[in-house]
Amino acid sequence: MSIIGNNFLNISAIIKRFLPAQPCVLCGSMSHDGMWCAACDAALPYFDAPHCRVCALPTPSGEVCGHCLKDPPLFTRTTAAFSYSFPLDKLVQAMKFGEQLALANAFAEKLALRIDQSDLPDCIIPMPLHPAKLRERGFNQSLLLAATLARKLDIELLPGACHRVRDTLPQSALPWKERKKNVRNAFRCDMDMSGKRVALVDDVLTTGASLNALAEAVNKRGSVESNSWVVARTLPH
Ligand SMILES: [Zn+2]
Ligand SMILES: [Zn+2]
């Protein structure tokens, strides 16, 4: 670590100490560590297992998985910060359904640490919500994640490039094999993406069907590469 890096860490550690302590969202103990305390952070399911580089499914030695070999998705690569298991799943649900919006910032900061800074895309597109769903929820958690990532990594955010044109059933309400059909042609991209490398941001990747459908819409407008950036990857049972 350089002297500048060390100084920066010291400064941020000092700033942290002057911020008011806040209760950890997981255990309730007061800390200066942000949304959750250091002990709870150490116990979070960080996504460290060897995995398929395309869809992030764990594979024995990090090789491309059978699904991606047989039926390659339209995105090239997936980066996930966590696996979608306890207690991270509860935190994601608290962000989406409990309106704990500050969690989006904390998740995006963890995800940003996983992104290869030497190979950044040209722009970031959040998974769009249908306008009816947006009215109901009041916010799009993927846009909150994407906005923080764009700011931290200094990449252009394109919040209005893509739209969800069909109000689909929630993917989580459907069996895995019906999810692809549910989101077919659900998205439209209204921007010329010629020659652009794009990062698509979503909270959770389970089958990858939504991200695949979004990648299809973006690729149709000329994008040369779509990558999936997600807070968490669902692992097979
Ligand atoms: Zn805690
Ligand atoms: Zn795969």
Side-chain angles (χ1 to χ4, degrees):
M1 170 102 36
S2 69
I3 292 170
I4 294 172
N6 267 328
N7 282 343
F8 178 73
L9 280 180
N10 290 341
I11 291 163
S12 55
I14 291 163
I15 291 171
K16 254 189 188 177
R17 249 180 277 146
F18 283 100
L19 290 173
Q22 64 180 78
C24 166
V25 286
L26 287 166
C27 72
S29 68
M30 300 301 281
S31 83
H32 293 277
D33 300 317
M35 293 298 291
W36 54 81
C37 73
C40 287
D41 185 70
L44 283 178
Y46 281 96
F47 190 69
D48 292 322
H51 56 267
C52 166
R53 66 173 180 274
V54 182
C55 73
L57 187 77
T59 51
S61 45
E63 67 274 23
V64 173
C65 76
H67 304 286
C68 290
L69 286 174
K70 193 168 139 234
D71 186 14
L74 296 164
F75 49 83
T76 310
R77 215 169 248 281
T78 295
T79 304
F82 300 98
S83 56
Y84 191 60
S85 53
F86 185 82
L88 197 278
D89 53 351
K90 301 294 173 218
L91 290 182
V92 171
Q93 287 158 23
M95 169 181 71
K96 278 166 89 164
F97 308 114
E99 299 188 15
Q100 294 229 36
L101 304 188
L103 282 168
N105 212 29
F107 289 146
E109 287 187 2
K110 296 293 184 186
L111 180 52
L113 296 174
R114 301 278 169 134
I115 305 297
D116 179 0
Q117 303 256 358
S118 67
D119 189 29
L120 292 174
D122 301 299
C123 54
I124 299 186
I125 294 178
M127 175 63 66
L129 273 186
H130 189 269
K133 193 69 61 54
L134 186 59
R135 270 196 302 278
E136 188 186 304
R137 191 175 294 167
F139 62 94
N140 176 356
Q141 73 281 356
S142 299
L143 174 57
L144 299 178
L145 294 165
T148 302
L149 285 160
R151 195 173 62 244
K152 279 199 86 71
L153 301 169
D154 196 21
I155 307 175
E156 188 182 13
L157 174 68
L158 299 177
C162 294
H163 303 277
R164 194 181 284 250
V165 290
R166 281 199 298 113
D167 191 7
T168 53
L169 287 167
Q171 292 289 78
S172 54
L174 295 170
W176 284 20
K177 58 182 190 304
E178 286 175 30
R179 294 184 180 193
K180 201 166 182 178
K181 201 166 110 202
N182 185 45
V183 290
R184 191 166 293 151
N185 300 318
F187 302 101
R188 194 186 66 219
C189 179
D190 288 336
M191 241 175 143
D192 179 17
M193 290 289 160
S194 299
K196 285 200 190 296
R197 296 174 64 231
V198 181
L200 308 173
V201 172
D202 203 358
D203 50 2
V204 181
L205 182 150
T206 301
T207 64
S210 300
L211 282 158
N212 192 57
L214 183 59
E216 183 174 25
V218 170
N219 294 356
K220 264 188 200 158
R221 296 304 310 268
S223 161
V224 288
E225 189 183 302
S226 303
N227 289 301
S228 298
W229 290 359
V230 296
V231 173
R233 173 51 155 119
T234 304
L235 302 182
H237 303 299

